[in-house]
Structure formats: C-alpha cells, structure tokens
Amino acid sequence: MSEGKDIKQQIVEALSTVYDPEIPVNIYELGLIYEVNIDDNSDVKIVMTLTSPACPAAGMLPGEVEEKARSIEGVKGVEVEVTFDPPWDQSMMSEEARLELGFM
C-alpha cells in the first residue's frame, strides 16, 4: 500500500503548514498531531491535541487540519478528533521545535 504512505506523507507536509497562532512553530513539529490513519477507502482520521484545553485556537485549528487533509488528492473523507489524553507537554515537540523556541 505505497499509495497510502504517499497520501500520509502529503498530509504530514500539509499539516506542517498549520501554525498555532501563539507559537511560531507548526503544529506537527509541536507534537500536536498524535495520529494520521488512512483506511483502505482513503478515509483519513487524524487524532490531535491542543497545547491546553483553554487554547484560544481550539475553535480554528481542528477545522484547518481537516481542510488541509481534504486538500490532498486521493483523500475521500476526513475526521479530526481532538483529545487531551495524553495531555500535551513540551517533551512532545520535535528537536527542531525545541531549538526554535529556545528550549535546548
């Protein structure tokens, strides 16, 4: 299923263009995307979190994630699930994100 990998990579690249408005690092590098799953019908389920339940971007980020995933050719349907289990913390950020934000 190499096509699935191609779609997944395209989705990850698209999600890397989404930024939390308060943090100058994309949501993928921040570790806010927990899972990107693609089934045999090319339906996508993305499990993500926010930096906190009170995140001011809570109303817009999941919609932007869905929009970016839907824009990928071959994607049929998209479901975005927001979870706080496990809660996000700075250890979930990529090394690049930690460097960018001065945590290293």
Side-chain angles (χ1 to χ4, degrees):
M1 178 153 186
S2 63
E3 184 179 319
K5 279 195 185 288
D6 293 341
I7 289 174
K8 183 173 183 174
Q9 185 59 40
Q10 290 176 52
I11 290 170
V12 167
E13 289 172 9
L15 297 181
S16 295
T17 67
V18 178
Y19 287 79
D20 183 308
E22 297 184 326
I23 305 171
V25 175
N26 73 67
I27 64 170
Y28 194 81
E29 295 296 326
L30 275 177
L32 299 182
I33 303 299
Y34 288 170
E35 297 177 25
V36 176
N37 299 307
I38 304 163
D39 70 15
D40 292 338
N41 297 321
S42 297
D43 289 318
V44 176
K45 180 173 183 184
I46 298 170
V47 179
M48 67 175 291
T49 194
L50 302 167
T51 52
S52 80
C55 175
M60 64 167 240
L61 278 179
E64 191 172 350
V65 165
E66 180 178 347
E67 183 181 312
K68 294 287 184 178
R70 281 189 192 282
S71 73
I72 304 302
E73 187 175 336
V75 169
K76 301 273 193 278
V78 177
E79 176 188 352
V80 177
E81 177 186 329
V82 177
T83 184
F84 293 100
D85 184 26
W88 179 86
D89 66 46
Q90 292 177 2
S91 71
M92 296 172 170
M93 292 190 293
S94 70
E95 187 174 314
E96 180 181 312
R98 287 193 297 269
L99 280 170
E100 177 78 25
L101 295 173
F103 293 133
M104 290 182 75

